[in-house]
Amino acid sequence: MEDAQNANVPANQKVERVPKTIRNETFALKAEALKPTLHEWIDYPLSVVEFQPDPEAFFKCKAVQTHTIEELSTLSYGKGDQVILDFGSHRVGYLSFHVGVEGVNVDAPARLRLTFGEIPYDVTESLHPCNTWISTSWIPDEIINVDWLPTYVDMPRRYSFRYLKIEVIDTSPKYKVKFLDIKVRAVSAVSPLAAAAVPKLEVHDSELVKIDRISQVTLRDCMQMVFEDGPRRDRRLWLGDLRLQALANYCTFKDYALVKRCLYLFAALPREDGSLPGCLFEKPKLAPASDYIVDYDALFGPTVYDYAVASGDLETAIELWPTILGSMRMALAHVDEGGRFNSDAFSAWKFLDWSEGLDTNAGMHGLVLFCCKQINSLAILIEKDVPFADVVSKMVLAASAFYDESLGVFVSGPTSQVSWSSQAWLGLAGAMDSQTCLKAITTAMADPKAVKPLTPYAFHHVAESLACNGGQERCLELMREYWGGMVRAGADTFWECFDYEDSRRSPYGDCHNNSYCHAWSCTPSYLLRVVVKDFLQAADREQ
């Protein structure tokens, strides 16, 4: 009989054996000493709304104000009634409100259902049943009983939302309830002052300015005690997400201490084979998850390198050097003597993206080559022996085996699959010259049969690879199509996954377990402020 931890989990994620963790208490204590102070501020709803169909919108409903927030105190609600409140933008925090009463007397509890919505569908559709392999306990609704009225209610759980729907499941015929002083105590490791201090993106393109602003809000709301992957669901520190969040953070909020804390948290939990968990739990106590992802493990070294370059903190990089070398062992175990990556060498999860049917051989070859080059650069920076010079030489030569000259693209696996992700990672790794890599990416993007990315995580690597290989203009076009598509769909934070041809698509089955403020989607700020900065400035000067 299949064990509980593997039940209903996709095949490539099933855990056969979890290696023993060799906890490093020194690193755990250093991470604890870097625990951030969460900044708090109070936000209030802006209006009482209802939603009406909008056939031209991705999410086919739009909010229509029915009452001002000042009018809410004059309204009362009985059994079967509901009210939807719009806070105006996304926030993460703790809800409280006052329940008043109107009637003869309170002879029964008030039973309320509260639903917290990041997008309109969360509060306009029934959240149950939910057809998904992810636990439905993440679905953001609560049923509470309020015994003594009038009273204040403080919700103990933290929520991630813009919209709040309150349904009166039941009271009694003798009274109705009123809702007053509704507010959220919003929290983030980024203070409002620090967020306001980020310089505005200096471009004339208002769409790019908006994309940059939404990226920062997304990042801010994911920066809590760690860089969470999503404040609505998982609320964990994932290694691959951390790298992208950190890159966006360096050019916006510049919170180097939080990145350092997260690096030490991972380094505190190496497994007996030297590998690092794909994610970890910070609460109720530091612990590794059973999830293991080969590519996330390999990306630890580049994440430390990025941190060292951005912060100038070489001491931490030197201290983490043995952990970096250990984190590459599993990835390098997939590389054969000829320098070619083979995804089938070991049974372990190679992610790259949630794209259905994605073959990971070529993409993982590029990713491991990229990681080896980054770690070699870090070795030079901290005056260590370069560890992977021979590996890089072999993998660069072996990359030609993935290149189909007749098609002008990199292919992967037994069916010679063409995917955007394969081109992206081999391009980022510099597996061939920039002209060849750029042609490969753009050719795959023009091929309707090529496997497209599903997540902003993969779209980021496509966009960055385009820019790094001379395709800055095409990078900007992709950003307008993809992240701009989320903006046009009504996003005020960027989402865990988005398909502009099917806005309801999700890797988890049901839409309501998607996360609409998600860490790996925050990178447009990094792309705009660092990767294509010079190109943007030159283009602006020409206007």
Side-chain angles (χ1 to χ4, degrees):
M1 183 176 180
E2 191 173 43
D3 59 58
Q5 73 174 356
N6 283 329
N8 300 319
V9 174
N12 64 346
Q13 299 173 46
K14 291 185 177 180
V15 178
E16 295 178 0
R17 185 184 75 87
V18 180
K20 181 181 178 182
T21 296
I22 310 298
R23 185 181 171 102
N24 186 316
E25 288 295 344
T26 299
F27 290 165
L29 289 171
K30 289 194 172 190
E32 181 67 18
L34 291 164
K35 185 178 290 187
T37 298
L38 289 184
H39 301 275
E40 299 182 358
W41 62 97
I42 301 298
D43 282 330
Y44 298 90
L46 301 184
S47 61
V48 180
V49 301
E50 66 179 26
F51 289 91
Q52 296 180 356
D54 183 358
E56 296 182 359
F58 279 99
F59 281 82
K60 298 181 176 63
C61 52
K62 60 182 179 181
V64 178
Q65 179 174 308
T66 55
H67 296 283
T68 67
I69 201 63
E70 290 76 19
E71 292 173 318
L72 181 62
S73 63
T74 68
L75 307 174
S76 58
Y77 299 90
K79 179 178 180 178
D81 292 337
Q82 67 176 38
V83 59
I84 298 176
L85 304 171
D86 181 1
F87 281 75
S89 61
H90 192 274
R91 63 259 303 114
V92 176
Y94 300 86
L95 182 77
S96 63
F97 56 97
H98 185 270
V99 186
V101 63
E102 182 180 89
V104 178
N105 52 47
V106 179
D107 59 344
R111 178 167 294 178
L112 310 174
R113 175 182 285 114
L114 284 74
T115 303
F116 298 81
E118 291 186 311
I119 60 167
Y121 272 141
D122 288 335
V123 293
T124 58
E125 294 185 345
S126 174
L127 300 184
H128 304 279
C130 184
N131 181 26
T132 177
W133 57 267
I134 289 181
S135 173
T136 56
S137 63
W138 284 117
I139 291 177
D141 65 342
E142 302 281 354
I143 294 177
I144 63 171
N145 295 300
V146 185
D147 292 301
W148 312 115
L149 300 174
T151 190
Y152 270 95
V153 175
D154 289 299
M155 302 296 289
R157 296 187 69 209
R158 197 196 73 189
Y159 292 95
S160 175
F161 67 103
R162 170 176 172 171
Y163 304 103
L164 170 66
K165 179 169 68 173
I166 306 177
E167 299 173 83
V168 181
I169 298 175
D170 208 352
T171 54
S172 88
K174 293 188 177 181
Y175 74 94
K176 290 186 176 183
V177 292
K178 302 166 74 72
F179 300 108
L180 306 95
D181 194 25
I182 300 173
K183 58 181 178 285
V184 59
R185 176 169 54 88
V187 293
S188 172
V190 180
S191 72
L193 287 176
V198 178
K200 183 181 177 182
L201 185 69
E202 294 297 331
V203 296
H204 292 102
D205 190 323
S206 60
E207 182 178 29
L208 295 180
V209 170
K210 190 170 187 177
I211 289 172
D212 174 62
R213 179 182 58 78
I214 293 175
S215 297
Q216 291 179 49
V217 175
T218 305
L219 177 60
R220 179 203 68 186
D221 284 357
C222 290
M223 290 174 67
Q224 301 291 332
M225 297 305 291
V226 296
F227 283 92
E228 295 183 359
D229 64 324
R232 163 165 161 164
R233 203 208 67 239
D234 276 18
R235 304 182 186 182
R236 277 181 257 168
L237 175 62
W238 287 81
L239 225 170
D241 302 51
L242 169 62
R243 177 174 174 268
L244 297 189
Q245 287 174 285
L247 288 171
N249 167 63
Y250 299 145
C251 61
T252 54
F253 308 129
K254 302 184 187 302
D255 188 342
Y256 302 114
L258 188 60
V259 180
K260 184 176 179 178
R261 167 173 159 77
C262 293
L263 292 173
Y264 276 125
L265 286 173
F266 276 111
L269 299 173
R271 309 195 304 179
E272 59 187 350
D273 59 3
S275 63
L276 300 177
C279 65
L280 56 83
F281 302 97
E282 190 256 341
K283 294 177 181 177
K285 64 179 182 178
L286 178 61
S290 60
D291 304 86
Y292 176 74
I293 307 175
V294 177
D295 31 324
Y296 277 27
D297 194 9
L299 286 166
F300 181 75
T303 307
V304 177
Y305 175 59
D306 294 334
Y307 167 77
V309 171
S311 67
D313 178 8
L314 303 188
E315 183 179 341
T316 295
I318 292 169
E319 190 169 33
L320 295 177
W321 183 248
T323 307
I324 292 169
L325 297 181
S327 72
M328 283 300 296
R329 288 175 188 154
M330 181 64 82
L332 292 175
H334 288 77
V335 179
D336 63 26
E337 292 184 0
R340 180 167 175 166
F341 189 93
N342 178 7
S343 283
D344 298 326
F346 296 96
S347 176
W349 186 9
K350 294 92 182 175
F351 174 61
L352 296 184
D353 187 41
W354 284 119
S355 307
E356 187 174 351
L358 176 65
D359 187 278
T360 59
N361 276 285
M364 285 294 301
H365 187 98
L367 183 143
V368 174
L369 175 57
F370 170 84
C371 292
C372 287
K373 285 185 172 183
Q374 294 281 94
I375 293 170
N376 286 347
S377 295
L378 177 60
I380 294 170
L381 185 65
I382 61 176
E383 300 180 342
K384 296 285 186 180
D385 292 336
V386 173
F388 302 128
D390 291 343
V391 175
V392 167
S393 297
K394 286 183 178 181
M395 292 192 77
V396 168
L397 289 173
S400 61
F402 293 103
Y403 188 68
D404 187 320
E405 193 167 355
S406 65
L407 297 176
V409 294
F410 296 100
V411 298
S412 186
T415 63
S416 297
Q417 182 190 87
V418 179
S419 73
W420 296 25
S421 289
S422 293
Q423 322 309 315
W425 277 110
L426 285 161
L428 284 170
M432 289 189 171
D433 63 89
S434 293
Q435 186 177 358
T436 299
C437 290
L438 179 59
K439 180 184 176 184
I441 303 169
T442 54
T443 299
M445 292 173 69
D447 180 359
K449 295 182 180 179
V451 177
K452 290 177 58 177
L454 178 57
T455 65
Y457 178 78
F459 269 98
H460 163 84
H461 295 114
V462 174
E464 185 173 14
S465 192
L466 282 166
C468 291
N469 286 288
Q472 293 94 333
E473 188 169 358
R474 187 66 187 93
C475 169
L476 289 169
E477 290 174 5
L478 182 62
M479 292 176 68
R480 290 187 181 97
E481 289 172 9
Y482 191 70
W483 284 274
M486 280 189 260
V487 174
R488 291 186 290 277
D492 48 15
T493 51
F494 288 132
W495 305 343
E496 180 178 16
C497 75
F498 176 65
D499 182 344
Y500 43 74
E501 295 176 355
D502 179 7
S503 61
R504 299 301 297 270
R505 188 177 171 199
S506 165
Y508 311 116
D510 192 284
C511 175
H512 293 299
N513 245 333
N514 213 4
S515 170
Y516 293 95
C517 173
H518 209 76
W520 64 23
S521 65
C522 72
T523 57
S525 287
Y526 165 69
L527 294 170
L528 293 168
R529 292 169 177 266
V530 178
V531 178
V532 298
K533 177 183 177 181
D534 293 342
F535 179 84
L536 269 179
Q537 289 177 343
D540 252 26
R541 285 194 296 268
E542 292 176 3
Q543 290 182 352

Coordinates of all heavy atoms in Angstrom, one line a residue, residues 36-79:
P36 N 14.4 38.5 11.2 CA 14.0 39.9 10.9 C 12.9 40.4 11.9 O 12.2 39.6 12.5 CB 13.5 39.9 9.5 CG 12.9 38.5 9.3 CD 13.8 37.6 10.2
T37 N 12.8 41.7 12.0 CA 11.6 42.3 12.6 C 10.5 42.5 11.6 O 10.8 43.1 10.5 CB 12.0 43.7 13.2 OG1 13.0 43.5 14.2 CG2 10.8 44.3 13.8
L38 N 9.3 42.0 11.8 CA 8.2 42.2 10.9 C 7.6 43.6 11.1 O 7.3 43.9 12.3 CB 7.2 41.1 11.0 CG 7.6 39.7 10.5 CD1 6.4 38.8 10.6 CD2 8.1 39.8 9.1
H39 N 7.5 44.4 10.1 CA 6.9 45.7 10.2 C 5.4 45.5 10.0 O 4.9 44.7 9.3 CB 7.5 46.6 9.1 CG 9.0 46.8 9.2 ND1 9.6 47.7 10.0 CD2 10.0 46.1 8.6 CE1 10.9 47.6 9.9 NE2 11.2 46.6 9.1
E40 N 4.6 46.4 10.7 CA 3.2 46.3 10.7 C 2.6 47.6 10.4 O 3.1 48.7 10.7 CB 2.7 45.8 12.1 CG 3.2 44.5 12.6 CD 2.6 44.1 13.9 OE1 1.8 44.9 14.5 OE2 2.9 43.0 14.4
W41 N 1.4 47.6 9.7 CA 0.7 48.8 9.4 C -0.8 48.4 9.3 O -1.1 47.2 9.0 CB 1.1 49.5 8.2 CG 1.1 48.8 6.9 CD1 0.1 48.9 6.0 CD2 2.0 47.8 6.4 NE1 0.3 48.1 4.9 CE2 1.5 47.4 5.1 CE3 3.2 47.3 6.8 CZ2 2.2 46.5 4.3 CZ3 3.9 46.4 6.1 CH2 3.4 46.0 4.8
I42 N -1.7 49.3 9.5 CA -3.1 49.0 9.5 C -3.7 49.4 8.1 O -3.5 50.6 7.7 CB -3.9 49.7 10.6 CG1 -3.3 49.2 12.0 CG2 -5.4 49.4 10.5 CD1 -3.5 47.8 12.3
D43 N -4.5 48.6 7.5 CA -5.2 48.9 6.3 C -6.7 48.6 6.5 O -7.1 47.7 7.2 CB -4.7 48.0 5.1 CG -3.4 48.5 4.5 OD1 -3.1 49.7 4.6 OD2 -2.6 47.7 4.0
Y44 N -7.5 49.4 5.8 CA -9.0 49.3 5.9 C -9.6 49.0 4.5 O -9.0 49.4 3.5 CB -9.6 50.5 6.4 CG -9.1 50.9 7.8 CD1 -8.0 51.7 8.0 CD2 -9.8 50.4 8.9 CE1 -7.5 52.0 9.3 CE2 -9.4 50.7 10.2 CZ -8.2 51.5 10.4 OH -7.8 51.8 11.7
P45 N -10.7 48.3 4.5 CA -11.4 48.2 3.1 C -11.8 49.5 2.6 O -12.1 50.4 3.3 CB -12.6 47.3 3.5 CG -12.8 47.5 4.9 CD -11.5 47.7 5.6
L46 N -11.8 49.6 1.3 CA -12.1 50.8 0.6 C -13.6 50.9 0.2 O -14.2 52.0 0.0 CB -11.2 51.0 -0.6 CG -9.7 51.1 -0.3 CD1 -9.0 51.4 -1.6 CD2 -9.4 52.1 0.7
S47 N -14.2 49.8 -0.1 CA -15.6 49.8 -0.6 C -16.3 48.5 -0.4 O -15.6 47.4 -0.2 CB -15.6 50.2 -2.1 OG -14.9 49.3 -2.9
V48 N -17.6 48.5 -0.5 CA -18.4 47.3 -0.5 C -18.7 47.0 -2.0 O -19.2 48.0 -2.7 CB -19.7 47.5 0.3 CG1 -20.6 46.2 0.2 CG2 -19.4 47.9 1.7
V49 N -18.5 45.8 -2.5 CA -18.6 45.6 -3.9 C -19.4 44.4 -4.2 O -19.7 43.5 -3.3 CB -17.2 45.4 -4.5 CG1 -16.3 46.6 -4.3 CG2 -16.5 44.1 -4.0
E50 N -19.9 44.3 -5.4 CA -20.5 43.1 -6.0 C -19.8 42.9 -7.3 O -19.1 43.8 -7.8 CB -22.0 43.2 -6.2 CG -22.4 44.2 -7.2 CD -24.0 44.2 -7.3 OE1 -24.6 43.8 -6.4 OE2 -24.4 44.6 -8.4
F51 N -19.9 41.7 -7.9 CA -19.2 41.4 -9.1 C -20.2 41.1 -10.2 O -21.2 40.4 -10.0 CB -18.2 40.2 -9.0 CG -17.0 40.6 -8.1 CD1 -17.0 40.4 -6.8 CD2 -15.9 41.1 -8.7 CE1 -15.9 40.8 -6.0 CE2 -14.8 41.5 -8.0 CZ -14.8 41.3 -6.6
Q52 N -19.9 41.7 -11.4 CA -20.7 41.4 -12.6 C -19.9 40.8 -13.7 O -18.7 41.1 -13.8 CB -21.4 42.8 -13.0 CG -22.3 43.4 -12.0 CD -22.9 44.7 -12.5 OE1 -22.6 45.2 -13.6 NE2 -23.8 45.3 -11.7
P53 N -20.6 40.1 -14.6 CA -19.8 39.4 -15.7 C -19.2 40.5 -16.6 O -19.7 41.6 -16.8 CB -20.9 38.7 -16.5 CG -22.0 38.5 -15.5 CD -22.0 39.7 -14.6
D54 N -18.0 40.2 -17.1 CA -17.2 41.0 -18.0 C -16.6 40.1 -19.1 O -15.5 39.6 -18.9 CB -16.1 41.8 -17.2 CG -15.4 42.8 -18.1 OD1 -15.7 42.8 -19.3 OD2 -14.5 43.4 -17.7
P55 N -17.3 39.9 -20.2 CA -16.9 39.0 -21.2 C -15.5 39.3 -21.8 O -14.9 38.4 -22.4 CB -18.0 39.0 -22.2 CG -18.7 40.3 -22.0 CD -18.6 40.6 -20.6
E56 N -15.1 40.5 -21.7 CA -13.8 40.9 -22.3 C -12.6 40.7 -21.4 O -11.4 40.8 -21.8 CB -13.8 42.3 -22.8 CG -14.9 42.6 -23.8 CD -14.9 44.1 -24.3 OE1 -14.1 44.8 -23.7 OE2 -15.7 44.4 -25.2
A57 N -12.8 40.3 -20.1 CA -11.7 40.2 -19.2 C -11.3 38.7 -19.1 O -12.0 37.8 -19.4 CB -12.2 40.6 -17.8
F58 N -10.0 38.5 -18.8 CA -9.5 37.2 -18.6 C -10.3 36.5 -17.5 O -10.7 35.4 -17.6 CB -8.0 37.2 -18.2 CG -7.1 37.4 -19.3 CD1 -6.5 38.6 -19.6 CD2 -6.7 36.3 -20.1 CE1 -5.6 38.7 -20.7 CE2 -5.8 36.4 -21.1 CZ -5.3 37.6 -21.4
F59 N -10.4 37.2 -16.3 CA -11.2 36.7 -15.2 C -12.6 37.4 -15.4 O -12.7 38.6 -15.1 CB -10.5 36.9 -13.9 CG -9.4 36.0 -13.6 CD1 -8.2 36.1 -14.1 CD2 -9.7 34.9 -12.8 CE1 -7.2 35.2 -13.9 CE2 -8.7 33.9 -12.6 CZ -7.4 34.1 -13.1
K60 N -13.5 36.6 -15.8 CA -14.7 37.2 -16.4 C -15.7 37.8 -15.3 O -16.9 37.4 -15.2 CB -15.4 36.2 -17.3 CG -14.6 35.7 -18.5 CD -15.3 34.8 -19.3 CE -14.6 34.4 -20.6 NZ -13.3 33.7 -20.3
C61 N -15.2 38.7 -14.5 CA -16.1 39.4 -13.6 C -15.3 40.7 -13.2 O -14.1 40.7 -13.2 CB -16.5 38.6 -12.4 SG -15.1 37.9 -11.5
K62 N -16.1 41.7 -12.9 CA -15.5 43.0 -12.5 C -16.2 43.5 -11.3 O -17.4 43.3 -11.1 CB -15.5 44.0 -13.6 CG -16.9 44.3 -14.1 CD -16.8 45.3 -15.3 CE -18.2 45.7 -15.9 NZ -18.1 46.6 -17.0
A63 N -15.5 44.2 -10.4 CA -16.1 44.7 -9.2 C -16.8 46.0 -9.5 O -16.4 46.9 -10.2 CB -14.9 45.0 -8.2
V64 N -18.0 46.1 -8.9 CA -18.8 47.3 -9.0 C -19.2 47.8 -7.6 O -19.7 47.0 -6.8 CB -20.1 47.0 -9.8 CG1 -21.0 48.3 -9.8 CG2 -19.8 46.5 -11.2
Q65 N -18.8 49.0 -7.3 CA -19.0 49.5 -5.9 C -20.5 49.6 -5.7 O -21.2 50.2 -6.5 CB -18.4 50.8 -5.7 CG -18.6 51.4 -4.3 CD -17.8 52.7 -4.0 OE1 -16.6 52.7 -4.2 NE2 -18.5 53.7 -3.6
T66 N -21.0 49.1 -4.6 CA -22.4 49.2 -4.3 C -22.7 50.1 -3.1 O -23.7 50.6 -2.9 CB -23.0 47.8 -4.0 OG1 -22.2 47.1 -3.0 CG2 -23.0 46.9 -5.2
H67 N -21.6 50.2 -2.2 CA -21.7 51.1 -1.0 C -20.3 51.6 -0.7 O -19.3 50.9 -1.0 CB -22.2 50.3 0.2 CG -23.6 49.8 0.1 ND1 -24.8 50.6 0.2 CD2 -24.1 48.6 -0.2 CE1 -25.8 49.9 0.0 NE2 -25.5 48.7 -0.2
T68 N -20.3 52.8 -0.2 CA -19.0 53.3 0.4 C -18.8 52.5 1.7 O -19.7 52.0 2.3 CB -19.1 54.8 0.6 OG1 -20.0 55.0 1.7 CG2 -19.5 55.5 -0.6
I69 N -17.5 52.6 2.1 CA -17.2 51.9 3.3 C -17.8 52.6 4.5 O -18.1 52.0 5.5 CB -15.6 51.8 3.5 CG1 -15.3 50.6 4.5 CG2 -15.0 53.1 3.9 CD1 -15.8 49.3 4.0
E70 N -18.1 53.9 4.4 CA -18.8 54.6 5.5 C -20.2 54.1 5.6 O -20.8 54.2 6.7 CB -18.7 56.1 5.2 CG -17.4 56.8 5.3 CD -16.5 56.5 4.1 OE1 -17.0 56.1 3.0 OE2 -15.2 56.6 4.2
E71 N -20.8 53.7 4.5 CA -22.2 53.2 4.6 C -22.3 51.8 5.3 O -23.4 51.4 5.7 CB -22.8 53.2 3.2 CG -23.0 54.5 2.6 CD -23.4 54.4 1.1 OE1 -22.9 53.6 0.4 OE2 -24.3 55.2 0.7
L72 N -21.2 51.1 5.3 CA -21.3 49.7 5.9 C -21.9 49.7 7.3 O -22.6 48.8 7.6 CB -19.9 49.1 5.9 CG -19.8 47.7 6.3 CD1 -20.6 46.7 5.4 CD2 -18.3 47.2 6.4
S73 N -21.6 50.7 8.1 CA -22.1 50.7 9.5 C -23.6 50.8 9.6 O -24.2 50.5 10.6 CB -21.4 51.8 10.3 OG -21.7 53.0 9.7
T74 N -24.2 51.2 8.5 CA -25.7 51.4 8.5 C -26.4 50.1 8.0 O -27.6 50.1 8.1 CB -26.1 52.6 7.6 OG1 -25.8 52.3 6.2 CG2 -25.3 53.8 8.0
L75 N -25.7 49.2 7.5 CA -26.2 48.0 6.9 C -26.3 46.8 7.9 O -25.3 46.7 8.7 CB -25.5 47.5 5.7 CG -25.2 48.6 4.6 CD1 -24.3 48.1 3.5 CD2 -26.6 49.1 4.1
S76 N -27.3 46.0 7.9 CA -27.4 44.8 8.8 C -27.7 43.6 7.9 O -28.3 43.7 6.8 CB -28.5 45.0 9.8 OG -29.8 45.3 9.2
Y77 N -27.3 42.4 8.5 CA -27.3 41.2 7.7 C -27.9 40.1 8.5 O -27.5 39.9 9.7 CB -25.9 40.8 7.2 CG -25.3 41.9 6.3 CD1 -24.5 42.9 6.9 CD2 -25.5 41.9 4.9 CE1 -24.0 43.9 6.1 CE2 -24.9 42.9 4.1 CZ -24.2 43.9 4.7 OH -23.6 44.9 3.9
G78 N -28.8 39.3 7.9 CA -29.4 38.1 8.5 C -29.0 36.8 7.8 O -28.2 36.8 6.9
K79 N -29.6 35.8 8.2 CA -29.3 34.4 7.6 C -29.4 34.5 6.1 O -30.3 35.0 5.5 CB -30.3 33.4 8.1 CG -30.1 32.0 7.6 CD -31.1 31.0 8.2 CE -30.9 29.6 7.7 NZ -31.8 28.7 8.3

